[in-house]
Amino acid sequence: MKCEIAQQNVVMAVYGELPDELGGSLERHLEECEECSRELNAMRALDEYLALNPVVEPSPSLLAQSRMRLDDALDLIPPHGFLTRLRSNFYGWVGHMQSAPALMTLLVGTGFLAGNFTYRYQVAHAPAEAPGVVTMSNSTQGSIANVTGIVPTPNSEIVQVKYNRIVPETMEGSLDSKEIRQLLMVGMTQEANTDVRATSVKMLSNECRVGHACVEETDGKGVRNALLVSLRYDKDDAVRMNALHGLEPYVGQDRRVRDALLEALLHDKSASVRTAAISLLTPVQSDSSVRQVLRTVSTQDDNPYIRTASFQALQDTAGIQ
């Protein structure tokens, strides 16, 4: 037996009107269904409550007066209308109610169940509670950098969170401007963005090659020092190659640049970078340290082309030695 039919039979069973052939199946269902058992207990409790509070019958005079007023109102409208049929149905319903108290009780029970089902349906289909309103002092869409403070409201779920947001900005200007060069030097250190790093190194290298913005600075924070760092430590071959070319004008005059090229010639994993370093060191082969490195590379480098290039550079310096 399904729960819907069982709960209808529960009402009949409470008022002793359930046929005997349905009593057995209802009893078996109640033994297995906890929900229908609760409905039976609820109906029994309702029946007991109604027994303690008998329904007060309306006075005959009230019904008579109501009927007279309804007759007067209905006599004013044409026959066979909606209200005429309503009057006939109303009198018929009153007659049934007066002659069948069990039916009246059944209707009360049915109303109780209908109300119960309606309440459950409303609870199950109630719209989700809307999230609380959030007020922001600044609606910019930059990434959140950090949270600086949390202020809870006593006895409430409201909380105030203070935070800083990273707001994207754009700057446009000449490569000769100090602000643009500083941004490009920051771009040279962007480990996670190879394109930005490569573009920054290439632009600053070109500036150095034409003699702009590459003056040696004593604090070690200038563009030339940044190119030296890129040549020694950048993981991208193309970036190191661009840094190498940017330092070319300063190989003869800056000992730090020359040492960086010698390190690249000895240890850089890229054959292209090592080959370019040989060509850039050739004008300064009078330096004994340069000749020593060329001699080492000409005999020990894994690449035969680089060994040959280093040997030829040493042959050109034979007169100097």
Side-chain angles (χ1 to χ4, degrees), residues 282 285-287 291 295 311-321:
T282 300
Q285 61 269 59
S286 58
D287 188 325
R291 294 198 303 274
R295 189 175 297 109
F311 179 77
Q312 291 177 347
L314 285 173
Q315 294 302 312
D316 295 337
T317 63
I320 298 174
Q321 297 177 0

Side-chain angles (χ1 to χ4, degrees), residues 145-308:
N146 57 356
V147 176
T148 59
I150 300 175
V151 182
T153 301
N155 303 322
S156 173
E157 294 185 350
I158 304 301
V159 61
Q160 182 187 68
V161 181
K162 298 179 180 179
Y163 61 94
N164 295 320
R165 189 183 289 278
I166 300 175
V167 181
E169 294 182 354
T170 302
M171 181 183 294
E172 181 177 353
S174 170
L175 286 170
D176 293 330
S177 66
K178 180 179 179 181
E179 293 79 6
I180 293 295
R181 290 198 301 270
Q182 288 179 339
L183 288 177
L184 292 178
M185 291 177 65
V186 173
M188 294 171 67
T189 63
Q190 301 301 301
E191 291 289 338
N193 195 327
T194 302
D195 292 339
V196 170
R197 201 170 69 251
T199 303
S200 299
V201 171
K202 184 176 182 180
M203 285 187 170
L204 290 176
S205 294
N206 292 336
E207 287 294 289
C208 286
R209 290 177 66 85
V210 297
H212 294 172
C214 212
V215 178
E216 182 181 7
E217 298 182 17
T218 56
D219 57 1
K221 297 181 180 179
V223 174
R224 192 185 305 179
N225 186 72
L227 291 177
L228 289 174
V229 172
S230 295
L231 175 60
R232 286 191 170 105
Y233 304 111
D234 199 285
K235 60 185 178 182
D236 189 89
D237 297 352
V239 174
R240 296 199 304 276
M241 182 67 80
N242 281 326
L244 190 68
H245 288 301
L247 294 169
E248 180 180 1
Y250 312 99
V251 175
Q253 58 184 275
D254 191 333
R255 182 71 195 186
R256 294 185 309 144
V257 173
R258 196 153 59 242
D259 290 344
L261 265 64
L262 293 175
E263 291 178 19
L265 179 56
L266 285 171
H267 305 297
D268 198 288
K269 62 182 180 181
S270 169
S272 298
V273 173
R274 299 201 303 275
T275 303
I278 293 173
S279 62
L280 296 182
L281 287 168
T282 300
V284 291
Q285 61 269 59
S286 58
D287 188 325
S288 60
S289 61
V290 173
R291 294 198 303 274
Q292 179 60 40
V293 171
L294 289 174
R295 189 175 297 109
T296 301
V297 172
S298 65
T299 57
Q300 299 180 6
D301 197 280
D302 296 335
N303 190 308
Y305 176 80
I306 293 178
R307 292 200 303 270
T308 302

Side-chain angles (χ1 to χ4, degrees), residues 13-33:
V14 169
Y15 297 103
E17 298 184 2
L18 182 68
D20 295 337
E21 60 271 21
L22 298 179
S25 57
L26 175 61
E27 185 175 353
R28 289 191 295 275
H29 178 81
L30 293 176
E31 292 176 352
E32 300 176 351
C33 180

